Amino acid sequence: MINIPLSIKVRAIAITISTCLCLLPFQGHTQTVDFSESWAAYQAMKAHASNKSMTWERLPDWSGVWTGSPDYLPYYRLSSDGKLNVRVSAKNTFESSKQAAPLTPAYQAKAIKVLQDRTKGIDWDYVSNCIPAGFPRWVVSHYLKEFALTPNLVWMLNEEQSEVRRIYMDGREHTPRDEAYPLYEGDSVGFWDGDTLVVHTVDNKEGTWDRSAAAYSDQVNTIERIRKVNKDVIEDQMTVYDKMALTKPWTVTFQFTRVTEPSDLRIRMFSCNENNNVVQDETGNSHHVLPGEVGYKDPNSLSENSQLNK
Amino acid sequence: MLKYVVITFTLLLPLLLGIPASAHHSHAMFDTTKRISISGTVVDFEYTNPHSWLKVTNEADGALWAFETNSPSQLLRKNIKRTALPTGMKVTVTAMPLKDGRAGGQIVSVKKEDGTILPIEPEAPTAGYTP
C-alpha cells in the first residue's frame, strides 16, 4: 500500500472542500426539472413514429385563425362540505378528459384556499398584472391562435400578449441543464408522427391553469400529441407530468376551433399594458382604478407621460 | 340625483354556475346580478387590449362613467368596429355596476340614438355566477 504523507492528505482534502465550495454558487443556476418519465415516454413514441422526417410538400395545412377555450379543462369547485369537486363543461365530450388534475395534498390545499377566497368575493389572477399566461395555460386561453409549420421549426402564436411557443423539430435536445431556466412558454422539441405533431416541453414557470383553477409548479413537463381532426378543429391531447403538483401523470384533451367570422380576421400585436387599470387591492381582490382616480393610467396619454418624453 | 335604474335579477339561471373564465381579470368587482342604465354622450371609445373601454358623460348630472368591454378582436368578431361609437354620439349603456358604487361597470349592451343595439356580450357570466 502506498504511504501518502499526512501533509499531502490534508492538502488534498482542503482542495476538495474548496472546490466544492466554489461550485456551490453555480448549483442554483442548474435547472433541476425531473422529466425522465415523460422523456422516456416521448422517446418511445419517437421510436414507433412513422414518417418522422417532414418535408415542405408533406406539411399539413394548419393555416387560419383559431381560438382556444377553457371549456375543455376539467376543474374543481368546492362541495358543501368544503372538499374539491370535479366539474366538466358540457362542451368537453372527450372521455379521456373527465378527470381534473390529480393534485398532491399541498396543491389540493392551494386549490381549496383559492376557492374559499372566491366564495368571500376575493378573486385575483396574475395575468391581471400583465404577466403572460405562459404554457401550459396557453392552451386554454380563449384569445386567437395561429400555427406556423415548417419542417424544422413550428411556431404557435397566441394573440394574448403575443406569446410565441417555438417547437424545435430538427432533432436537437432540450437546452443543456446548466443553461436552462424557467420560461413562460417552456423549452419545446418535437417530431412528426404521420400528421400528428408530438411535442415535449420542459422548463416552465409555475402558474395556474386558469383563474381559480388548479396550480402547476415549475416542475411541470408535458407531452402533446396535436393533430388537425377536421378542417375546423385542431386537437391537443396533453399528458402532464408534475411531481410537485400531481400524484400521477394526467392526460387531458384540448381543442382549438377555427374562427370563421369575420373570414379575414387578423391577429395583431397585443400589449396588455395598453389599457390596464386593474390592481390588487389590500384585501387581495381585483379592483378597477377609474378615470380621475389616483393611479389611473390614461391610455391616451401613456406615451406623453413616459419618462422618455421628459 | 343620479338618474339610473337598478334592476335586481332574482331569477338566476343555474346554467352558468362558475365555469372557468379566461378573461384578463376577475369579475368579482362587478355585481353580476344587477343592471344599471346610463344615458349620455360618448367621450371616448378606447379600442384597446386587454379590454376596450367606453367613456360616457351621464346626461343626468354630467358625471363621467367608464364601462369595460371586450378586446378589439372579440369586438370585431361581433362586427363592432372602432368607428361604431364616435365621440359625441348619444348612447344608452346597460351595464353590470361596480359593487362599490363608483361610476363604472361592465357593458351588457349599448343602444345607439337610432335605436340600434350593439351585440356586445359581457365577459362576466350574466346570471347564476357564484364567485
Side-chain angles (χ1 to χ4, degrees):
Chain A
M1 189 175 160
I2 301 167
N3 194 4
I4 301 171
L6 183 65
S7 61
I8 294 179
K9 283 182 185 169
V10 169
R11 249 187 280 174
I13 293 168
I15 290 168
T16 306
I17 292 172
S18 59
T19 305
C20 290
L21 288 174
C22 285
L23 289 174
L24 270 180
F26 295 102
Q27 288 188 343
H29 293 279
T30 301
Q31 182 70 348
T32 53
V33 183
D34 177 4
F35 56 96
S36 53
E37 189 179 359
S38 65
W39 189 246
Y42 171 82
Q43 292 296 352
M45 287 180 196
K46 197 170 185 177
H48 292 97
S50 60
N51 285 329
K52 275 179 294 207
S53 56
M54 182 52 75
T55 62
W56 283 101
E57 293 71 31
R58 282 188 30 248
L59 274 173
D61 179 10
W62 292 8
S63 60
V65 175
W66 307 79
T67 181
S69 169
D71 284 322
Y72 304 102
L73 181 75
Y75 58 100
Y76 288 111
R77 287 294 176 262
L78 288 179
S79 60
S80 53
D81 58 357
K83 292 188 175 154
L84 294 175
N85 219 349
V86 180
R87 301 275 187 87
V88 177
S89 155
K91 275 194 183 173
N92 180 357
T93 56
F94 300 106
E95 279 312 310
S96 63
S97 284
K98 303 295 187 202
Q99 299 300 315
L103 299 175
T104 57
Y107 275 71
Q108 283 184 29
K110 276 180 189 249
I112 289 171
K113 169 75 168 60
V114 166
L115 293 171
Q116 284 173 338
D117 283 349
R118 210 164 168 258
T119 61
K120 297 174 202 159
I122 298 171
D123 203 6
W124 174 252
D125 190 342
Y126 59 86
V127 168
S128 305
N129 269 341
C130 288
I131 300 290
F135 180 82
R137 179 171 175 166
W138 192 100
V139 296
V140 299
S141 159
H142 68 173
Y143 290 90
L144 305 174
K145 308 276 195 289
E146 257 175 340
F147 300 89
L149 311 183
T150 73
N152 287 326
L153 184 56
V154 168
W155 288 269
M156 297 187 183
L157 305 101
N158 193 356
E159 176 198 23
E160 184 178 17
Q161 303 240 41
S162 300
E163 288 185 70
V164 181
R165 298 182 64 195
R166 289 179 177 82
I167 323 295
Y168 292 97
M169 311 287 291
D170 55 1
R172 73 178 71 184
E173 300 279 318
H174 281 299
T175 300
R177 294 300 84 198
D178 61 347
E179 291 177 22
Y181 55 95
L183 302 161
Y184 286 113
E185 318 306 333
D187 186 79
S188 299
V189 293
F191 62 87
W192 286 98
D193 182 359
D195 61 356
T196 300
L197 176 63
V198 185
V199 183
H200 187 269
T201 303
V202 296
D203 300 337
N204 300 283
K205 285 179 181 282
E206 64 180 353
T208 61
W209 282 95
D210 201 356
R211 186 176 58 253
S212 78
Y216 48 83
S217 80
D218 62 5
Q219 296 296 302
V220 71
N221 53 102
T222 61
I223 301 174
E224 293 164 277
R225 296 187 63 87
I226 310 169
R227 72 190 178 104
K228 190 174 170 186
V229 292
N230 62 49
K231 73 179 177 57
D232 294 325
V233 177
I234 291 174
E235 200 172 281
D236 184 345
Q237 187 190 72
M238 184 189 295
T239 301
V240 186
Y241 301 75
D242 186 340
K243 287 188 173 167
M244 290 271 283
L246 303 179
T247 57
K248 59 182 179 183
W250 171 49
T251 298
V252 60
T253 306
F254 302 101
Q255 278 197 347
F256 305 108
T257 51
R258 185 185 295 282
V259 175
T260 53
E261 284 291 331
S263 59
D264 61 350
L265 188 62
R266 302 176 192 200
I267 300 184
R268 317 283 190 171
M269 191 275 175
F270 183 114
S271 166
C272 174
N273 279 310
E274 184 182 14
N275 194 358
N276 182 33
N277 280 289
V278 180
V279 296
Q280 193 170 23
D281 69 14
E282 62 282 358
T283 68
N285 206 1
S286 304
H287 177 82
H288 272 314
V289 180
L290 294 179
E293 294 180 347
V294 174
Y296 179 73
K297 293 177 284 184
D298 185 344
N300 296 314
S301 59
L302 279 180
S303 54
E304 284 83 345
N305 290 336
S306 78
Q307 292 298 316
L308 289 173
N309 292 333
K310 285 181 181 170
Chain B
M1 179 185 149
L2 206 61
K3 183 187 171 188
Y4 65 87
V5 183
V6 177
I7 307 163
T8 304
F9 286 76
T10 51
L11 294 174
L12 302 180
L13 296 171
L15 298 174
L16 294 164
L17 280 171
I19 56 170
S22 275
H24 159 260
H25 62 73
S26 164
H27 299 106
M29 72 274 274
F30 301 115
D31 188 339
T32 58
T33 66
K34 290 184 180 168
R35 300 290 181 269
I36 55 171
S37 185
I38 300 287
S39 294
T41 307
V42 172
V43 175
D44 196 11
F45 183 29
E46 296 161 358
Y47 209 66
T48 52
N49 283 312
H51 294 276
S52 301
W53 283 80
L54 178 63
K55 291 173 181 167
V56 172
T57 306
N58 185 0
E59 68 184 12
D61 59 5
L64 178 68
W65 281 72
F67 298 102
E68 183 187 66
T69 187
N70 307 141
S71 70
S73 72
Q74 290 161 343
L75 291 173
L76 273 176
R77 290 172 69 182
K78 303 280 178 197
N79 199 29
I80 300 169
K81 297 172 184 169
R82 171 76 180 89
T83 49
L85 298 166
T87 301
M89 177 183 271
K90 301 276 186 198
V91 291
T92 299
V93 181
T94 302
M96 300 175 190
L98 287 169
K99 283 178 183 167
D100 59 17
R102 290 177 300 141
Q106 182 168 120
I107 295 177
V108 174
S109 67
V110 179
K111 190 163 138 183
K112 300 204 279 191
E113 211 171 15
D114 63 5
T116 322
I117 294 174
L118 294 181
I120 288 177
E121 285 181 7
E123 289 188 335
T126 50
Y129 180 63
T130 52

